[in-house]
Amino acid sequence: MSVYDCTVPETRGEGIEAAATALSRGSLVVLPTDTVYGLGAGAFDPEAVAALLAAKGRGRQHPPPVLVPSPATLAGLATEVPAAVHDLVAAFWPGPLTVICRAQPTLAWDLGETGGTVALRMPDDEVALALLTRTGPLAVSSANRHGQPSATTVLEAATALGDRVEVYLDGGPSRGGVASTIIDATGPTLRIVRAGALSREELAAVVPELAEPQGAEADATDTSDRGTPAADGSPGDVGAAGDVERDGADGP
């Protein structure tokens, strides 16, 4: 296990190179994001994704979300994307917004039991984007064991995950400290399925239909009284296509 200080240019490039190399051979890396630290694996490497889930202490019923290097990647990974999602992406990517969409059916990947969906986000972090530009899309879950608080420092991530991870990229303390807000775009209307760094009011300023909870969201995941993902500090178990157990959602 190696740790690279990415807060200074002298070692940042070396760390990104080491992380990209580790990912190319199926190993796991921890990387900073603009919300909390993430545990990453190659999105198109099923064995690496399985290792990520095992490191988290989770099963295939909790597939990880995918971080992307640019908004243009959305078209390659998702289909039937509503116009409202493009508006949200234009407003909040890079940033703390995850969108759950229908996955392109021709993609050769296995993220787990996704139900044909994928949760996508472009992080607003220089180190994360530099790595994603090198590697392409990465399956990235929050860098903690299941049920534990999300890591906001590389030390917290290393304490939780240890030598299950080959490379740790230290970007300093997380700027946000709260996981991303997740929007489910797979139903007839958009709905918030995890409260996070972006408020309902911020989202509704772009997409007015998000101003009020819709259907099951109002009963199960109303964010009006919850500004944090879960009481224990973890991102929370909410998911795609109306399935609150699908953890496309346990992401940074």
Side-chain angles (χ1 to χ4, degrees):
M1 147 177 130
S2 301
V3 180
Y4 293 88
D5 183 359
C6 294
T7 63
V8 294
E10 291 78 12
T11 51
R12 180 181 303 158
E14 181 184 1
I16 291 169
E17 178 66 28
T21 299
L23 289 163
S24 72
R25 56 174 178 252
S27 296
L28 304 181
V29 305
V30 160
L31 63 150
T33 78
D34 49 330
T35 55
V36 295
Y37 272 78
L39 172 65
F44 295 94
D45 185 336
E47 292 184 4
V49 173
L52 183 155
L53 293 173
K56 289 275 299 184
R58 314 213 70 165
R60 286 176 51 81
Q61 70 273 25
H62 297 292
V66 174
L67 296 190
V68 299
S70 74
T73 315
L74 180 66
L77 301 181
T79 187
E80 302 175 25
V81 180
V85 168
H86 290 290
D87 293 339
L88 289 169
V89 164
F92 298 113
W93 277 15
L97 174 70
T98 299
V99 292
I100 301 174
C101 298
R102 297 291 174 190
Q104 288 283 2
T106 57
L107 290 173
W109 62 7
D110 183 4
L111 298 172
E113 296 173 12
T114 65
T117 67
V118 61
L120 300 170
R121 182 166 95 85
M122 179 184 177
D124 187 13
D125 182 89
E126 184 178 359
V127 175
L129 289 175
L131 179 61
L132 288 161
T133 299
R134 283 286 312 276
T135 63
L138 294 176
V140 180
S141 187
S142 54
N144 58 289
R145 295 282 289 171
H146 175 47
Q148 298 299 311
S150 301
T152 58
T153 68
V154 78
L155 177 60
E156 291 174 355
T159 300
L161 299 169
D163 60 8
R164 299 178 183 89
V165 174
E166 182 172 334
V167 173
Y168 288 84
L169 300 181
D170 184 359
S174 296
R175 289 180 283 126
V178 177
S180 63
T181 300
I182 301 180
I183 300 294
D184 181 0
T186 63
T189 60
L190 270 63
R191 64 189 183 97
I192 299 171
V193 294
R194 183 178 74 184
L198 289 172
S199 70
R200 183 182 297 277
E201 291 72 23
E202 289 174 293
L203 297 167
V206 178
V207 178
E209 71 183 76
L210 290 169
E212 298 295 335
Q214 298 290 324
E217 179 195 350
D219 298 325
T221 57
D222 181 10
T223 63
S224 60
D225 296 320
R226 296 191 295 180
T228 56
D232 64 358
S234 65
D237 291 344
V238 294
D243 179 2
V244 295
E245 294 300 321
R246 194 258 186 188
D247 216 53
D250 189 12

